[in-house]
């Protein structure tokens, strides 16, 4: 990543060759079907390309890459039934535009930073009892 930040276009190609299959596999396991996993994987690498200047080498590139991947998955996810009970979300969480078709269990979940549920659609029961929000929370247009 540092080579790519220095202007080497071939370094970006190497990053894609090394990480594209891993990111694609992660996305396949994460989302149900809302958009093509290949399209979302390309979106991940587009964001890496556009935001290369934001990468700081204090964290491993892989950590930064999977944070981007996770955020894209949350933003485009179709969840059949999820159980996030007792889960601790340490970073910012963004479920913007996600769809929860089955039960969404967030009971006892802890959100250490910002939590975005803007324009989320809950078709089934959403359980946030005893969830703890330490940062800003946004449920605007959630149904």
């Amino acid at each position: 990543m540092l080579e790519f930040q220095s202007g080497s276009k071939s370094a970006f190609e190497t990053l894609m060759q090394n990480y594209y299959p891993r990111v694609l596999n992660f996305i396949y396991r994460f989302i149900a079907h809302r958009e093509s996993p290949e399209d979302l994987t390309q979106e991940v690498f587009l964001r890496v390309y556009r935001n290369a200047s934001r990468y700081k080498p204090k964290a491993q590139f892989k950590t930064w890459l999977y944070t981007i991947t996770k955020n894209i998955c949350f933003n485009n996810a179709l969840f059949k039934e999820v159980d996030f009970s007792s889960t601790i979300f340490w970073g910012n969480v963004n479920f913007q535009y996600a769809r929860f078709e089955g039960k969404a269990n967030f009971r006892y979940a802890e959100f250490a930073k910002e939590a975005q549920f803007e324009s989320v659609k809950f078709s089934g029961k959403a359980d946030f009892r005893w969830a703890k929000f330490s940062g800003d929370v946004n449920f605007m247009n959630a149904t």
Side-chain angles (χ1 to χ4, degrees):
M1 184 62 189
L2 296 177
E3 287 181 36
F4 176 59
Q5 282 181 319
S6 300
S8 171
K9 302 296 182 197
S10 64
F12 184 76
E13 291 175 18
T14 302
L15 286 174
M16 282 198 62
Q17 288 173 354
N18 290 339
Y19 289 101
Y20 192 94
R22 297 176 196 178
V23 169
L24 181 62
N25 188 40
F26 180 91
I27 292 172
Y28 266 122
R29 288 182 284 130
F30 198 95
I31 67 168
H33 69 290
R34 182 159 180 198
E35 289 188 35
S36 166
E38 291 85 4
D39 289 345
L40 295 178
T41 302
Q42 290 177 10
E43 178 65 26
V44 168
F45 285 98
L46 183 61
R47 288 195 190 175
V48 167
Y49 189 89
R50 287 181 178 160
N51 295 300
S53 63
R54 295 174 138 183
Y55 171 71
K56 305 293 182 228
K58 65 182 178 184
Q60 289 186 10
F61 169 72
K62 187 166 45 172
T63 303
W64 187 67
L65 174 67
Y66 281 106
T67 299
I68 293 169
T69 305
K70 172 193 61 99
N71 289 338
I72 286 175
C73 286
F74 280 167
N75 289 345
N76 294 282
L78 167 62
F79 296 98
K80 294 294 184 186
E81 186 168 317
V82 295
D83 185 0
F84 289 116
S85 59
S86 301
T87 300
I88 299 174
F89 297 94
W90 292 106
N92 292 337
V93 177
N94 190 345
F95 285 100
Q96 188 175 19
Y97 304 111
R99 294 182 300 161
F100 294 86
E101 290 191 343
K103 183 179 179 182
N105 185 1
F106 289 91
R107 189 183 295 189
Y108 296 106
E110 292 187 36
F111 297 85
K113 294 189 177 178
E114 182 178 298
Q116 291 284 332
F117 291 89
E118 183 178 343
S119 300
V120 169
K121 180 165 177 58
F122 295 100
S123 298
K125 180 180 178 184
D127 187 352
F128 285 90
R129 288 180 285 176
W130 303 291
K132 179 181 176 183
F133 296 92
S134 298
D136 292 337
V137 182
N138 180 359
F139 279 96
M140 188 182 339
N141 298 323
T143 59

